[in-house]
């Protein structure tokens, strides 16, 4: 028998099944798009496209005015209480407000387009910049509906929506490449992006409100008196300000700084590495399963043993990510340059160094994500805000050394910012009565096993000469095999952690 609670283990397992099948398909499409776009566009236009993607991501966060935080925190709460009528009203208000904020932000962006393209030294691409504003609206709105799906544990709908948008992009790009001699023009690729995101946004809205109306009829619930505007603003306001300040020292801002300082040709290597690591980030457990685990953190809010539960959840999520991330870093150290050259078709071999630094950044971004889930559960918006303000020092560090070390200093500055953020938030949570105790023994095992895999891969390459592609594959196989074998023998996860993970999985296959 299974419970009908919206966030029960059964519901999580069902959502996970939909997630696994959907994410597998979107992962293949995402990798295909990444590799095809870098090959299809001319080098200079690929640099401009990287700048456009940065503008998209910055506009997404800068224009949300707290609706992201409201969706993460209050949608799961109303759903867990079966407040169907209140939830329907909240979804309507959040969606409408999100669309409005996107339209206002893009209107301002278009009015300032001449100044913005001059600032970025891409004046010849102003028409593309203006057209891309429509992509920002449609893609931004579609992504917000994805957030609402995740908060409702509707991974089936979420994966359908993402698969539809990316599938249309892939089909459109394939048609362009088949009908064009030479490189694909950026303006035509942006038109494909616009069509795909618009169709995706419309279909997502229809799915969401069909579900919402059904829930309102089946479980209307009582009028909710505990989610007034004051409570929303008390949490969402500081959370939004933290996101806004965080934009200043984020990877997207780094791309724009490099576009201005070094030009589109030089930003291509960093942008390619950043896009690749961003794709990896999306498939790390904490980011991959964010839509699943976020409601679980929020649901601890009223538990008697809340602090114990938060410690357990945060440790598992952190270690799962490092279990994937540390071996990947070892592989990047062994084969980063060769992999960058191979994946970019020889265009950006220098991206290998960025791969390694950005993978280290992912370690601290993972820690950041876990701590953000804890502050979300505690409805604590101020810790993240002050941590973000402190993190601005990392940007100053990167800019100070930019003339001497170039883009590398900005990358290291990103790492410094994340370290400062995590350190402050940990201290703040401790002062507020929650001590997060990390399993350093388990984390140490994961690190050592990865290091041994790296040393073995280096040794094999010293003993045998291999072609580039064979060497890449061998490094991957050796690091992965050594790591998983050692982790199986000397398990980094406790028996309780393994049992909890296997309880959620369709089959108990987690043996590390």
């Amino acid at each position: 028998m299974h419970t009908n609670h919206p966030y029960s283990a059964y519901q999580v397992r069902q959502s996970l099944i939909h997630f696994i099948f959907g994410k597998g398909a979107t992962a293949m499409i995402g990798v295909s798009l990444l590799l095809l776009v870098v090959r299809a566009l001319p080098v200079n236009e690929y640099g401009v496209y990287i700048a456009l993607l940065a503008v998209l991501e910055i506009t997404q966060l800068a224009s949300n005015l707290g609706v992201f935080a409201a969706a993460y925190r209050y949608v799961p709460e109303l759903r867990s209480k079966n407040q169907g009528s209140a939830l329907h009203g909240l979804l309507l208000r959040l969606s409408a407000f999100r669309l409005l904020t996107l339209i206002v932000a893009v209107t301002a962006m278009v009015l300032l387009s001449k100044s913005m393209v001059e600032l970025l030294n891409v004046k010849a691409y102003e028409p593309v910049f203006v057209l891309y504003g429509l992509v920002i609206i449609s893609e931004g709105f579609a992504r917000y509906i994805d957030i609402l799906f995740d908060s409702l544990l509707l991974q089936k709908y979420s994966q359908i929506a993402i698969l539809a948008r990316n599938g249309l992009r892939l089909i459109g790009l394939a048609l362009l490449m088949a009908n064009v001699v030479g490189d694909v023009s950026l303006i035509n690729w942006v038109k494909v992006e616009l069509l795909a995101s618009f169709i995706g946004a419309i279909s997502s809205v229809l799915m969401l409100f069909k579900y919402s109306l059904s829930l309102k009829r089946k479980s209307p619930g009582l009028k909710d008196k505990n989610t007034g505007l004051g409570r929303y603003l008390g949490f969402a306001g500081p959370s939004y300000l933290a996101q806004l300040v965080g934009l200043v020292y984020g990877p997207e801002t780094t791309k724009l700084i490099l576009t201005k300082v070094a030009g589109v040709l030089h930003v291509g290597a960093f942008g390619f590495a950043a896009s690749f690591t961003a794709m990896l980030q999306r498939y790390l457990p904490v980011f991959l399963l964010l839509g699943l685990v976020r409601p679980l953190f929020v649901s601890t809010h009223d538990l008697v043993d809340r602090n114990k539960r938060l410690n357990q959840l945060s440790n598992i999520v952190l270690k799962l990510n490092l279990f994937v991330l540390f071996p990947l870093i070892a592989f990047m150290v062994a084969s980063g340059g060769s992999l960058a050259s191979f994946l970019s078709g020889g265009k950006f071999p220098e991206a290998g160094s960025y791969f390694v630094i950005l993978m280290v950044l992912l370690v601290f971004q993972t820690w950041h994500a876990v701590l953000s889930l804890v502050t979300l559960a505690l409805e604590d918006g101020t810790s993240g805000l002050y941590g973000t303000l402190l993190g601005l020092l990392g940007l100053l560090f990167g800019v100070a050394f930019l003339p001497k070390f170039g883009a590398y200093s900005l990358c290291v500055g990103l790492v410094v910012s994340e370290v400062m953020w995590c350190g402050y938030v940990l201290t703040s949570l401790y002062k507020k009565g929650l001590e997060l105790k990390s399993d350093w023994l388990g984390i140490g095992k994961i690190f050592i096993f990865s290091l041994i895999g790296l040393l073995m891969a280096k040794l094999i390459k010293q003993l045998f000469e291999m072609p580039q592609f064979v060497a890449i594959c061998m490094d991957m196989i050796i690091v992965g095999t050594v790591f998983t074998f050692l982790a199986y023998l000397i398990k980094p996860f406790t028996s309780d952690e393994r049992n909890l993970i296997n309880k959620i999985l369709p089959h108990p296959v987690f043996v590390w």
Side-chain angles (χ1 to χ4, degrees):
M1 295 293 289
H2 60 80
T3 177
N4 288 322
H5 190 278
Y7 301 106
S8 65
Y10 172 81
Q11 298 296 340
V12 173
R13 191 181 302 114
Q14 290 298 108
S15 193
L16 180 61
I17 292 171
H18 292 141
F19 178 88
I20 290 171
F21 284 105
K23 211 65 174 182
T26 54
M28 289 187 289
I29 292 176
V31 171
S32 300
L33 275 173
L34 176 67
L35 300 183
L36 285 177
V37 170
V38 74
R39 286 168 165 79
L41 296 177
V43 173
N44 62 323
E45 293 200 347
Y46 183 77
V48 176
Y49 181 59
I50 290 297
L52 289 176
L53 291 177
V55 172
L56 166 66
E57 299 300 337
I58 290 172
T59 307
Q60 293 305 299
L61 285 177
S63 67
N64 84 84
L65 297 182
V67 292
F68 287 3
Y72 295 149
R73 183 61 186 80
Y74 301 111
V75 170
E77 180 176 318
L78 290 177
R79 182 66 187 99
S80 66
K81 295 177 180 178
N82 285 317
Q83 299 276 9
S85 183
L87 178 60
H88 177 71
L90 178 63
L91 293 174
L92 279 174
R93 291 192 298 274
L94 289 177
S95 301
F97 186 64
R98 179 57 184 144
L99 183 58
L100 177 63
T101 59
L102 284 166
I103 292 173
V104 171
V106 170
T107 300
M109 190 184 82
V110 170
L111 292 175
L112 298 171
S113 61
K114 187 176 181 64
S115 299
M116 292 182 72
V117 295
E118 288 178 355
L119 180 65
L120 296 174
N121 291 332
V122 290
K123 288 186 286 186
Y125 294 93
E126 184 179 355
V128 179
F129 188 86
V130 172
L131 180 63
Y132 200 74
L134 296 177
V135 177
I136 292 175
I137 294 175
S138 54
E139 178 66 17
F141 189 55
R143 289 188 189 184
Y144 189 67
I145 302 299
D146 293 341
I147 290 174
L148 295 177
F149 283 145
D150 289 344
S151 296
L152 292 166
L153 218 59
L154 296 176
Q155 283 297 322
K156 178 181 178 180
Y157 293 163
S158 179
Q159 296 309 314
I160 289 174
I162 297 171
L163 187 61
R165 295 201 304 275
N166 288 341
L168 287 171
R169 287 188 177 94
L170 184 59
I171 293 171
L173 181 58
L175 291 174
L176 282 178
M177 294 177 72
N179 289 280
V180 173
V181 177
D183 294 326
V184 172
S185 68
L186 180 58
I187 187 72
N188 285 334
W189 170 233
V190 169
K191 290 176 182 177
V192 169
E193 288 240 69
L194 176 58
L195 180 62
S197 58
F198 180 77
I199 294 174
I202 295 298
S203 61
S204 293
V205 168
L206 293 176
M207 287 190 293
L208 176 66
F209 287 103
K210 180 181 178 182
Y211 170 83
S212 178
L213 286 170
S214 173
L215 188 63
K216 180 181 179 181
R217 288 193 296 267
K218 293 177 181 177
S219 305
L222 301 174
K223 183 177 180 180
D224 189 78
K225 300 179 180 179
N226 199 33
T227 52
L229 182 61
R231 186 183 173 201
Y232 286 146
L233 294 177
F235 172 68
S239 298
Y240 168 66
L241 289 176
Q243 291 175 336
L244 199 60
V245 176
L247 284 174
V248 177
Y249 62 81
E252 308 308 327
T253 303
T254 302
K255 294 175 187 176
L256 296 184
I257 292 174
L258 288 176
T259 303
K260 172 64 177 177
V261 174
V264 295
L265 294 177
H266 293 281
V267 79
F270 174 81
F272 175 68
S275 297
F276 184 78
T277 52
M279 182 188 68
L280 288 179
Q281 182 191 58
R282 288 195 293 271
Y283 296 102
L284 288 173
V286 70
F287 300 98
L288 185 69
L289 303 174
L290 199 56
L292 288 171
V293 299
R294 187 186 291 117
L296 299 182
F297 273 80
V298 173
S299 67
T300 66
H301 187 264
D302 297 321
L303 296 180
V304 176
D305 60 343
R306 180 188 66 183
N307 288 3
K308 178 182 177 182
R309 184 68 171 170
L310 285 175
N311 257 291
Q312 182 185 37
L313 285 172
S314 58
N315 258 312
I316 290 176
V317 173
L318 178 61
K319 285 168 66 178
L320 276 173
N321 277 271
L322 298 182
F323 188 77
V324 175
L325 196 49
F326 280 168
L328 280 175
I329 293 175
F331 169 64
M332 287 298 177
V333 172
S335 279
S338 299
L339 183 67
S341 178
F342 175 74
L343 292 179
S344 65
K347 289 184 177 180
F348 303 116
E350 65 273 25
S353 300
Y354 296 127
F355 275 165
V356 176
I357 300 174
L358 293 175
M359 292 294 287
V360 174
L361 175 64
L362 281 182
V363 172
F364 295 100
Q365 287 180 332
T366 293
W367 201 7
H368 183 140
V370 172
L371 291 173
S372 294
L373 289 170
V374 175
T375 59
L376 179 71
L378 298 176
E379 214 166 340
D380 174 15
T382 56
S383 293
L385 173 58
Y386 295 139
T388 305
L389 290 170
L390 183 63
L392 288 173
L393 294 175
L395 175 67
L396 296 178
F397 172 90
V399 172
F401 290 95
L402 182 61
K404 186 174 182 180
F405 297 103
Y408 295 113
S409 71
L410 293 176
C411 293
V412 174
L414 293 175
V415 176
V416 172
S417 294
E418 290 294 348
V419 172
M420 289 181 168
W421 189 95
C422 294
Y424 178 85
V425 172
L426 275 172
T427 304
S428 177
L429 290 174
Y430 178 77
K431 290 179 178 179
K432 294 178 181 181
L434 175 60
E435 182 181 4
L436 289 176
K437 300 177 181 178
S438 298
D439 178 14
W440 293 111
L441 177 61
I443 293 172
K445 290 178 183 177
I446 296 170
F447 176 79
I448 291 171
F449 300 158
S450 302
L451 181 61
I452 293 173
L454 169 62
L455 295 176
M456 290 293 292
K458 289 280 190 181
L459 178 62
I460 296 298
K461 282 204 295 189
Q462 288 292 325
L463 295 176
F464 304 99
E465 288 190 10
M466 291 171 278
Q468 183 188 68
F469 180 71
V470 175
I472 293 171
C473 294
M474 284 301 298
D475 285 339
M476 184 184 301
I477 292 169
I478 292 168
V479 172
T481 302
V482 171
F483 175 80
T484 52
F485 178 69
L486 291 175
Y488 177 74
L489 291 179
I490 310 172
K491 303 184 187 301
F493 291 85
T494 67
S495 58
D496 287 341
E497 289 170 340
R498 290 195 299 274
N499 290 336
L500 183 58
I501 294 169
N502 283 320
K503 184 179 178 183
I504 296 174
L505 294 174
H507 300 287
V509 296
F510 192 83
V511 296
W512 297 281

